[in-house]
PDB file of all heavy atoms in Angstrom:
ATOM      1  N   GLY B   6     -17.626  -7.680   2.504  1.00  0.00           N
ATOM      2  CA  GLY B   6     -16.255  -7.257   2.721  1.00  0.00           C
ATOM      3  C   GLY B   6     -16.055  -5.840   2.222  1.00  0.00           C
ATOM      4  O   GLY B   6     -16.100  -5.594   1.030  1.00  0.00           O
ATOM      5  N   LEU B   7     -15.821  -4.906   3.163  1.00  0.00           N
ATOM      6  CA  LEU B   7     -15.723  -3.500   2.779  1.00  0.00           C
ATOM      7  C   LEU B   7     -14.355  -2.915   3.116  1.00  0.00           C
ATOM      8  O   LEU B   7     -14.238  -1.914   3.796  1.00  0.00           O
ATOM      9  CB  LEU B   7     -16.831  -2.672   3.427  1.00  0.00           C
ATOM     10  CG  LEU B   7     -18.232  -2.862   2.827  1.00  0.00           C
ATOM     11  CD1 LEU B   7     -19.284  -2.228   3.688  1.00  0.00           C
ATOM     12  CD2 LEU B   7     -18.307  -2.288   1.427  1.00  0.00           C
ATOM     13  N   VAL B  79     -30.550 -17.486   0.361  1.00  0.00           N
ATOM     14  CA  VAL B  79     -31.116 -16.984   1.606  1.00  0.00           C
ATOM     15  C   VAL B  79     -32.553 -17.493   1.808  1.00  0.00           C
ATOM     16  O   VAL B  79     -32.897 -18.007   2.885  1.00  0.00           O
ATOM     17  CB  VAL B  79     -31.062 -15.443   1.652  1.00  0.00           C
ATOM     18  CG1 VAL B  79     -31.703 -14.907   2.910  1.00  0.00           C
ATOM     19  CG2 VAL B  79     -29.607 -14.979   1.558  1.00  0.00           C
ATOM     20  N   ALA B  80     -33.371 -17.385   0.773  1.00  0.00           N
ATOM     21  CA  ALA B  80     -34.750 -17.847   0.919  1.00  0.00           C
ATOM     22  C   ALA B  80     -34.881 -19.342   0.625  1.00  0.00           C
ATOM     23  O   ALA B  80     -35.541 -20.081   1.342  1.00  0.00           O
ATOM     24  CB  ALA B  80     -35.670 -17.054  -0.007  1.00  0.00           C
ATOM     25  N   GLY B 148       9.232 -11.109  28.980  1.00  0.00           N
ATOM     26  CA  GLY B 148       9.824 -12.437  28.859  1.00  0.00           C
ATOM     27  C   GLY B 148       9.054 -13.317  27.888  1.00  0.00           C
ATOM     28  O   GLY B 148       9.644 -14.034  27.064  1.00  0.00           O
ATOM     29  N   GLY B 177      13.646   7.809  31.910  1.00  0.00           N
ATOM     30  CA  GLY B 177      12.909   8.910  31.268  1.00  0.00           C
ATOM     31  C   GLY B 177      11.592   9.166  31.985  1.00  0.00           C
ATOM     32  O   GLY B 177      10.938   8.222  32.436  1.00  0.00           O
ATOM     33  N   HIS B 179       8.840  10.471  30.639  1.00  0.00           N
ATOM     34  CA  HIS B 179       7.794   9.961  29.771  1.00  0.00           C
ATOM     35  C   HIS B 179       8.372   8.897  28.864  1.00  0.00           C
ATOM     36  O   HIS B 179       9.540   8.940  28.527  1.00  0.00           O
ATOM     37  CB  HIS B 179       7.245  11.067  28.877  1.00  0.00           C
ATOM     38  CG  HIS B 179       6.354  12.017  29.604  1.00  0.00           C
ATOM     39  ND1 HIS B 179       5.101  11.671  30.017  1.00  0.00           N
ATOM     40  CD2 HIS B 179       6.570  13.289  30.001  1.00  0.00           C
ATOM     41  CE1 HIS B 179       4.549  12.709  30.632  1.00  0.00           C
ATOM     42  NE2 HIS B 179       5.434  13.695  30.657  1.00  0.00           N
ATOM     43  N   PRO B 232      -7.364   6.583   3.621  1.00  0.00           N
ATOM     44  CA  PRO B 232      -8.478   7.252   4.320  1.00  0.00           C
ATOM     45  C   PRO B 232      -9.387   6.307   5.090  1.00  0.00           C
ATOM     46  O   PRO B 232      -9.856   6.626   6.173  1.00  0.00           O
ATOM     47  CB  PRO B 232      -9.224   7.966   3.196  1.00  0.00           C
ATOM     48  CG  PRO B 232      -8.791   7.331   1.934  1.00  0.00           C
ATOM     49  CD  PRO B 232      -7.410   6.824   2.167  1.00  0.00           C
ATOM     50  N   ASN B 313       5.781  -2.141  14.252  1.00  0.00           N
ATOM     51  CA  ASN B 313       4.945  -2.121  13.064  1.00  0.00           C
ATOM     52  C   ASN B 313       3.530  -2.631  13.390  1.00  0.00           C
ATOM     53  O   ASN B 313       3.297  -3.307  14.385  1.00  0.00           O
ATOM     54  CB  ASN B 313       5.649  -3.021  12.029  1.00  0.00           C
ATOM     55  CG  ASN B 313       4.790  -3.417  10.888  1.00  0.00           C
ATOM     56  OD1 ASN B 313       4.158  -4.468  10.920  1.00  0.00           O
ATOM     57  ND2 ASN B 313       4.755  -2.595   9.884  1.00  0.00           N
ATOM     58  N   THR B 316       3.257  -6.371  13.825  1.00  0.00           N
ATOM     59  CA  THR B 316       3.860  -6.790  15.080  1.00  0.00           C
ATOM     60  C   THR B 316       2.841  -6.645  16.226  1.00  0.00           C
ATOM     61  O   THR B 316       2.630  -7.575  17.009  1.00  0.00           O
ATOM     62  CB  THR B 316       5.093  -5.931  15.387  1.00  0.00           C
ATOM     63  OG1 THR B 316       5.930  -5.855  14.239  1.00  0.00           O
ATOM     64  CG2 THR B 316       5.880  -6.474  16.558  1.00  0.00           C
ATOM     65  N   GLN B 481      29.703   0.297  -9.110  1.00  0.00           N
ATOM     66  CA  GLN B 481      30.550   1.182  -8.320  1.00  0.00           C
ATOM     67  C   GLN B 481      29.685   2.183  -7.522  1.00  0.00           C
ATOM     68  O   GLN B 481      29.860   2.373  -6.326  1.00  0.00           O
ATOM     69  CB  GLN B 481      31.470   1.921  -9.289  1.00  0.00           C
ATOM     70  CG  GLN B 481      32.650   2.595  -8.648  1.00  0.00           C
ATOM     71  CD  GLN B 481      33.366   3.494  -9.649  1.00  0.00           C
ATOM     72  OE1 GLN B 481      33.166   3.401 -10.858  1.00  0.00           O
ATOM     73  NE2 GLN B 481      34.204   4.367  -9.129  1.00  0.00           N
ATOM     74  N   LYS B 507      22.813  -9.333 -10.432  1.00  0.00           N
ATOM     75  CA  LYS B 507      23.325 -10.643 -10.009  1.00  0.00           C
ATOM     76  C   LYS B 507      22.623 -11.768 -10.765  1.00  0.00           C
ATOM     77  O   LYS B 507      23.263 -12.696 -11.221  1.00  0.00           O
ATOM     78  CB  LYS B 507      23.079 -10.783  -8.498  1.00  0.00           C
ATOM     79  CG  LYS B 507      23.633 -12.024  -7.851  1.00  0.00           C
ATOM     80  CD  LYS B 507      23.492 -11.890  -6.336  1.00  0.00           C
ATOM     81  CE  LYS B 507      23.769 -13.182  -5.600  1.00  0.00           C
ATOM     82  NZ  LYS B 507      23.429 -13.055  -4.158  1.00  0.00           N
ATOM     83  N   TYR B 533       8.999  -3.512 -34.880  1.00  0.00           N
ATOM     84  CA  TYR B 533       7.660  -3.998 -35.213  1.00  0.00           C
ATOM     85  C   TYR B 533       7.656  -4.494 -36.647  1.00  0.00           C
ATOM     86  O   TYR B 533       8.128  -3.805 -37.550  1.00  0.00           O
ATOM     87  CB  TYR B 533       6.641  -2.858 -35.064  1.00  0.00           C
ATOM     88  CG  TYR B 533       6.406  -2.458 -33.618  1.00  0.00           C
ATOM     89  CD1 TYR B 533       7.311  -1.625 -32.972  1.00  0.00           C
ATOM     90  CD2 TYR B 533       5.310  -2.930 -32.900  1.00  0.00           C
ATOM     91  CE1 TYR B 533       7.115  -1.264 -31.652  1.00  0.00           C
ATOM     92  CE2 TYR B 533       5.104  -2.567 -31.585  1.00  0.00           C
ATOM     93  CZ  TYR B 533       6.025  -1.734 -30.957  1.00  0.00           C
ATOM     94  OH  TYR B 533       5.831  -1.384 -29.646  1.00  0.00           O
ATOM     95  N   GLY B 543      -6.286  -2.577 -42.616  1.00  0.00           N
ATOM     96  CA  GLY B 543      -5.921  -1.162 -42.601  1.00  0.00           C
ATOM     97  C   GLY B 543      -6.089  -0.448 -41.285  1.00  0.00           C
ATOM     98  O   GLY B 543      -5.770   0.735 -41.160  1.00  0.00           O
ATOM     99  N   ALA B 548      -4.246   3.824 -37.186  1.00  0.00           N
ATOM    100  CA  ALA B 548      -3.848   4.078 -35.799  1.00  0.00           C
ATOM    101  C   ALA B 548      -2.456   4.693 -35.712  1.00  0.00           C
ATOM    102  O   ALA B 548      -2.117   5.354 -34.740  1.00  0.00           O
ATOM    103  CB  ALA B 548      -3.901   2.794 -34.985  1.00  0.00           C
ATOM    104  N   CYS B 579      -4.228  -4.198 -33.635  1.00  0.00           N
ATOM    105  CA  CYS B 579      -4.374  -5.340 -34.545  1.00  0.00           C
ATOM    106  C   CYS B 579      -5.131  -6.486 -33.890  1.00  0.00           C
ATOM    107  O   CYS B 579      -4.733  -6.970 -32.826  1.00  0.00           O
ATOM    108  CB  CYS B 579      -3.013  -5.843 -35.006  1.00  0.00           C
ATOM    109  SG  CYS B 579      -3.177  -7.255 -36.134  1.00  0.00           S
TER     110      CYS B 579
END
Side-chain angles (χ1 to χ4, degrees):
Chain B
L7 286 170
V79 177
H179 285 288
N313 165 268
T316 312
Q481 196 190 345
K507 185 171 169 188
Y533 291 80
C579 180

